[in-house]
Amino acid sequence: SSKNATTTTNDQENMTPIQKFQHQQEQHNQLLQKCYNTASLTHSKSHALVQHPIPIITPAQKAAQEALKNKPPTLHLTKAEQKRHRKLRRAERQREQQDLQAAGLIPPPEPRLTLSNYMKVLGDQAVLDPSKMEARVMEQVQARKLKHEQLNADRKLNKEAKAAKHARKLHEDTSQSVCVALFWVRDMGHPYHRAKVDLNA
């Protein structure tokens, strides 16, 4: 065997780099084939005991597939087309507002003042009495902030609506399908994790 090994070493030394590479590739492929043959399922003792159930499509999935088949083809716009359509819609809306203002049906909007632009917008008035104009600007900024917070508060569900929503979710029909989220907590020793589970599970 030492004689064969010496012969193989000498052969490898006499090889060109391309031949060496091909020889290594061949050895690698032989080793891979040997591994695949050894790891074949025919050698497995437990493979025959494993059951592979046929996946069952739920009624909800069937309905979704049917709806997808019957759905008319959607024409998707490119980014440039979407931008152009949005620009046209906004221009049309602004034109309608301007027409109403010109007819005197609605008052023109106040200029949107900020601390960085009020000198430019108000011009001479800001130069004559900057303190008064600054107070006016801060008043407008505060009014915008309050309006934003009020809109958020109006959208927020009250206690009764929140309870009704929770009850609706509890009594919804789950016979066809149900969507759940599963989480695996490695260690429940930490009080933070226990509190989270008690709160959300």
Side-chain angles (χ1 to χ4, degrees):
S1 63
S2 59
K3 216 175 192 180
N4 291 341
T6 313
T7 312
T8 311
T9 311
N10 290 335
D11 289 346
Q12 284 182 357
E13 284 173 2
N14 296 331
M15 286 180 186
T16 61
I18 296 170
Q19 286 175 334
K20 275 184 185 177
F21 177 72
Q22 287 173 346
H23 181 67
Q24 286 172 355
Q25 283 288 99
E26 195 179 327
Q27 282 183 328
H28 178 69
N29 291 336
Q30 284 174 359
L31 183 63
L32 275 180
Q33 194 58 45
K34 192 176 178 183
C35 291
Y36 284 139
N37 293 339
T38 310
S40 175
L41 287 175
T42 52
H43 301 300
S44 174
K45 293 177 182 177
S46 59
H47 176 65
L49 306 174
V50 178
Q51 292 185 7
H52 301 281
I54 299 163
I56 298 165
I57 298 171
T58 63
Q61 287 172 331
K62 281 182 187 172
Q65 285 174 359
E66 288 298 320
L68 199 63
K69 281 179 191 173
N70 301 329
K71 187 183 174 185
T74 310
L75 178 67
H76 294 287
L77 300 174
T78 62
K79 286 281 181 189
E81 287 171 339
Q82 285 176 6
K83 279 177 80 172
R84 188 163 62 249
H85 279 274
R86 180 172 179 270
K87 194 175 177 182
L88 290 170
R89 281 198 305 272
R90 284 165 66 97
E92 184 63 33
R93 200 159 53 239
Q94 197 169 0
R95 200 159 39 247
E96 285 174 8
Q97 289 287 324
Q98 286 169 351
D99 291 344
L100 290 171
Q101 286 166 21
L105 298 172
I106 56 170
E110 275 190 29
R112 190 178 184 280
L113 300 172
T114 61
L115 287 173
S116 57
N117 77 348
Y118 81 96
M119 291 294 285
K120 231 185 298 181
V121 174
L122 297 172
D124 294 339
Q125 293 177 5
V127 174
L128 290 171
D129 196 349
S131 300
K132 186 180 176 183
M133 291 302 110
E134 193 174 330
R136 182 180 157 193
V137 170
M138 290 309 296
E139 191 181 321
Q140 203 183 93
V141 168
Q142 195 63 28
R144 282 201 298 269
K145 187 182 174 187
L146 287 172
K147 184 186 174 187
H148 174 73
E149 287 172 356
Q150 187 60 45
L151 285 171
N152 281 351
D154 292 343
R155 276 197 296 270
K156 196 175 178 182
L157 295 175
N158 57 18
K159 259 189 178 179
E160 292 79 18
K162 213 180 272 185
K165 183 181 175 183
H166 186 63
R168 190 170 66 248
K169 284 178 81 173
L170 288 175
H171 294 105
E172 68 182 352
D173 181 25
T174 55
S175 58
Q176 299 293 322
S177 68
V178 61
C179 296
V180 295
L182 296 177
F183 298 93
W184 177 51
V185 184
R186 190 188 294 276
D187 180 23
M188 286 291 286
H190 200 287
Y192 176 80
H193 295 153
R194 287 203 300 274
K196 276 283 179 188
V197 170
D198 288 342
L199 188 65
N200 298 309

